[in-house]
Amino acid sequence: MQDIATLNAKFARPDQVRFVAGPGGLPVAEITTGVATAAVCLHGAHVTAFQPQGEKPVIWLSRKAVFQSGKPIRGGIPLCWPNFGPAPVGSPLPPHGLARLRRWQVVDVVAHDTDRCDLRLALAADDASRELWPHDFALELQVAVGRRLAVALTIRNPGSSAFTCTDALHTYFAVSDVAGVRVSGLERCTYRDTVPTPPATCRQEGPVTFGGNVDRVYLDTTATCVIHDPKWKRRIAVTKQGSRSTVVWTPWEEKAAAMADLGSGKWHGMLCVETANAGPEDAVTVPPGGTHTVSCEVSVLSGAD
Ligand code: TA6
């Protein structure tokens, strides 16, 4: 396993990239460019921070997040794979899959110039993963840090039989107060509202606004979403590729209070807009030797309208 000294010897870039022991002692790549800063925890290849110069943080991280091998980090950009949400019936996979729970390897760091730095991480199948999911796989995450943040998860099937998976870049965005923001881009989309039991199928009228627990899978959409934040006088635009669904989630008070790594009242400052193939409608089948990439690009625009 790559320790901090080895990581710095091989991949540190003066003034731009260094590896440190982060919370819980987990290795973190700290990235500093002329236009933004970011952090990526090697546990889960988890982007935990992104802040363009002169902006408030764009990515939200819970102050109660747990940084522990085998546990998911609350906030940032959890990688949900090979399953989004609950495991398939009879599968030992954890909720939102195994990718966010494993230690990834650093493959490459490229400091293009003072304003752009790319990190490439990898995760391959092993005996432990095959206990959870009986397929060979090779994952690669590309994180490009500049004025914008680009994240791309490539799933390769090196095996001899096809596999089917669902996935999400489960991004937690920092907002002034979720009750005061709206999301455009999903107007007239059909969505599965998973708050009621059983889930309901609905159609989005106008922008998405928030007055309680919202947990929706917007179906068959490749649209760019924009989070409009009047109080912070900004918009966050989320463009995506290789994704047929977008998940929008705020836990609101009751669910947040029941989450030890989130907590009562702490949900106001976050909103998830997730680049996904949440399934089952858009589950992805990767043939032997094939690949699938799901990616998003996050940018901050001034002005809320
Ligand atoms: O993306 C929304 C969601 O599926 C919610 O239902 C909620 O479970 C959230 O993800 C967080 O899941 P986690 O396993 O990270 O607590």
Side-chain angles (χ1 to χ4, degrees), residues 26 43-44 46 66-74 100-102:
L26 299 176
H43 170 62
H46 199 122
V66 170
F67 291 84
Q68 187 182 325
S69 179
K71 300 275 189 190
I73 298 169
R74 179 69 60 200
R100 66 175 180 169
L101 303 178
R102 302 296 301 272

Side-chain angles (χ1 to χ4, degrees), residues 72-74 78 84-85 95-96 100 170 172 194 215 247-249 259 261 272 274:
I73 298 169
R74 179 69 60 200
F84 173 82
H96 287 327
R100 66 175 180 169
H170 191 301
Y172 288 71
T194 65
D215 196 348
V247 181
V248 178
W249 178 60
M259 299 163 83
D261 59 358
C272 285
E274 305 162 34

Side-chain angles (χ1 to χ4, degrees), residues 220-296:
D220 194 20
T221 172
T222 58
T224 292
C225 288
V226 178
I227 302 171
H228 301 256
D229 192 335
K231 189 171 178 186
W232 282 359
K233 298 185 177 61
R234 75 177 186 185
R235 285 161 288 155
I236 299 173
V238 187
T239 60
K240 64 175 192 171
Q241 301 288 332
S243 156
R244 299 292 306 171
S245 44
T246 295
V247 181
V248 178
W249 178 60
T250 170
W252 217 255
E253 174 56 24
E254 185 180 348
K255 287 188 179 295
M259 299 163 83
D261 59 358
L262 212 166
S264 173
K266 304 302 180 192
W267 47 274
H268 286 278
M270 57 148 278
L271 174 62
C272 285
V273 176
E274 305 162 34
T275 300
N277 295 289
E281 302 84 354
D282 51 10
V284 176
T285 296
V286 186
T291 62
H292 165 71
T293 297
V294 53
S295 65
C296 70

